[in-house]
Amino acid sequence: MPVNVVLGGQWGDEGKGKIVDTLCDTAQIVARFQGGPNAGHTIYREDRKFVLHQLPSGILKDGVLCLLGHGMVIDPVELSQEIAGLTDQGIRCGGRIRISPYANIITPWHKELDRLQEESRNDGKQIGTTRKGIGPAYSDHINRQAMKAWQLADPAALKSILKDQSERVRQLFPGSELNSGQLQEAETAFLSAAAEAAPLVQDFSADLRQAIADHQEVLIEGAQGLLLDVQFGTYPFVTSSSTGSAGILAGLPLSFRDINTVSGIFKAYTTRVGNGPFPTELLDETGESLRRIGSEFGATTGRPRRCGWLDLVLARYAIRINGINRIILTKIDVLSEFDSIDVAVAYEYEGKTYDDADGLIHRLADVTPVYRRFPGWNSDISAVKRYQDLPVNLRKYIEFIESFTGTSVGLISTGTSRDSVIIR
Ligand code: IMP
């Protein structure tokens, strides 16, 4: 079966963009099933840098059809900017993007509500959202009052929904500072971007079925990571969608029978943006070094990412929940400068030791990680092309990850450029 999935196994920012871009070489279709402009997938091609937010990473490969599934929340204004930016960089987008008619639309009011909700939360309760309107847009969907992509071609319907939304925001936050002038401008920009996006809205269920029947390769690209999943993540410090494999079936017209491999992307260490528990976080110089060497700053918001060691207890959890049958390990080169590398292999909680996170996800703020220490390899691996040529200490690190998780590491990313990968 030709449907392959790539999912983030941590708190997002695992390097999915580069990997999907690499795997696109053999794919005819790349589809997103959840999330929206909160995602930021960075891809380097020769000396050019691309940052994608709503479009699948397949857009960089000419001829690949890019699908935006009904489980997504789409901001037409940002989409129009993203397409314009790519076109300026020489990417031909025409005829290659299709939006499901049932996808949810983010409006200026959702962004306003995201900001007001965050500002109204007390200290310690703020989620640290990207303020892209993600939560409010998904809330409207669950409340059965969402604006759907099929409505983008109907300005009268859009204006009526915008009016309802503005009234709801005013009711929820009476007397709060709403910059009406700016919001009016934002509504005008929204309506013009909606008209631009309307021709891209087209049901693609039959094409997807036909592609599968014809044994074409379909790549499903997740955004964020399992630990930000609204059901399986560190709730309430999560995004508002199902980022794991369950979200695929809720966000694209596919059946679980269609899916072949599920690749889980894990960074060789851990990062997180926004608030919430992070057992292996390093608030010291080592964390600072990981951030500096790994350039760990958000692709969407520019915020510095929190950094820490690899957490195999959580990796085991993500692998099981997602049905991951291949690990893709990224940014391994960032660890090359460290003399020793720690990996969390268990948690201590209330006097007991756990090597699995089942039933502990809501207790992560109170667990103490138990580490296993590995010697570093202190050498430049950027030119290495074959697994057997990697330093022995690095191979031991990788082989330990495999034995702990019971899952093989099939691909190793050793740098930002497209050809810095080792396939095993
Ligand atoms: P939201 O998705 O904007 O509602 O943000 C909810 C949480 O998810 C915040 O902690 C964000 O920092 C985090 N988040 C959302 N999208 C991403 C992403 O693409 N990478 C990493 N973190 C993300």
Side-chain angles (χ1 to χ4, degrees), residues 111-158:
K111 289 190 255 191
E112 189 63 8
L113 196 51
D114 201 352
R115 174 183 75 81
L116 290 166
Q117 284 174 339
E118 272 290 82
E119 285 174 4
S120 70
R121 289 184 179 112
N122 293 332
D123 277 354
K125 299 246 159 104
Q126 286 178 338
I127 291 160
T129 74
T130 58
R131 304 205 178 192
K132 298 284 181 183
I134 306 296
Y138 276 119
S139 301
D140 271 357
H141 169 61
I142 297 296
N143 276 334
R144 293 149 294 182
Q145 59 195 19
M147 183 187 285
K148 294 285 175 176
W150 60 266
Q151 294 176 301
L152 289 177
D154 182 349
L158 299 185

Side-chain angles (χ1 to χ4, degrees), residues 101-290:
Y102 313 108
N104 306 289
I105 299 300
I106 300 178
T107 73
W109 291 102
H110 290 136
K111 289 190 255 191
E112 189 63 8
L113 196 51
D114 201 352
R115 174 183 75 81
L116 290 166
Q117 284 174 339
E118 272 290 82
E119 285 174 4
S120 70
R121 289 184 179 112
N122 293 332
D123 277 354
K125 299 246 159 104
Q126 286 178 338
I127 291 160
T129 74
T130 58
R131 304 205 178 192
K132 298 284 181 183
I134 306 296
Y138 276 119
S139 301
D140 271 357
H141 169 61
I142 297 296
N143 276 334
R144 293 149 294 182
Q145 59 195 19
M147 183 187 285
K148 294 285 175 176
W150 60 266
Q151 294 176 301
L152 289 177
D154 182 349
L158 299 185
K159 281 181 194 157
S160 153
I161 297 172
L162 288 174
K163 187 163 168 288
D164 290 350
Q165 290 182 347
S166 81
E167 281 164 11
R168 273 201 299 277
V169 173
R170 286 178 216 280
Q171 271 166 17
L172 278 169
F173 289 94
S176 60
E177 198 97 353
L178 298 180
N179 190 332
S180 307
Q182 267 180 22
L183 278 161
Q184 237 166 36
E185 249 175 61
E187 277 197 359
T188 309
F190 172 82
L191 290 169
S192 122
E196 251 178 71
L200 307 178
V201 178
Q202 200 185 327
D203 192 86
F204 48 73
S205 316
D207 302 288
L208 205 47
R209 267 200 308 277
Q210 192 59 50
I212 294 170
D214 291 346
H215 297 282
Q216 290 187 17
E217 192 180 325
V218 178
L219 202 58
I220 311 288
E221 176 179 6
Q224 292 88 41
L226 187 77
L227 302 174
L228 287 171
D229 186 286
V230 70
Q231 296 289 346
F232 293 105
T234 49
Y235 191 92
F237 301 101
V238 291
T239 190
S240 301
S241 65
S242 291
T243 60
S245 51
I248 301 168
L249 309 182
L252 281 169
L254 286 174
S255 143
F256 68 92
R257 292 187 205 283
D258 293 321
I259 291 169
N260 185 16
T261 61
V262 183
S263 298
I265 311 208
F266 293 85
K267 212 181 288 202
Y269 49 98
T270 311
T271 61
R272 173 164 204 173
V273 263
N275 299 329
F278 180 175
T280 60
E281 181 170 18
L282 293 163
L283 297 166
D284 56 9
E285 269 178 32
T286 311
E288 211 31 75
S289 302
L290 283 171

Side-chain angles (χ1 to χ4, degrees), residues 322-360:
N322 281 327
I324 289 168
N325 42 24
R326 170 168 85 149
I327 292 176
I328 296 179
L329 201 58
T330 61
K331 297 190 94 164
I332 194 84
D333 52 306
V334 172
L335 298 183
S336 293
E337 286 185 32
F338 292 82
D339 292 332
S340 64
I341 291 144
D342 288 350
V343 179
V345 291
Y347 293 149
E348 275 171 6
Y349 177 68
E350 291 189 334
K352 286 194 190 149
T353 305
Y354 299 83
D355 64 2
D356 202 294
D358 273 342
L360 278 182

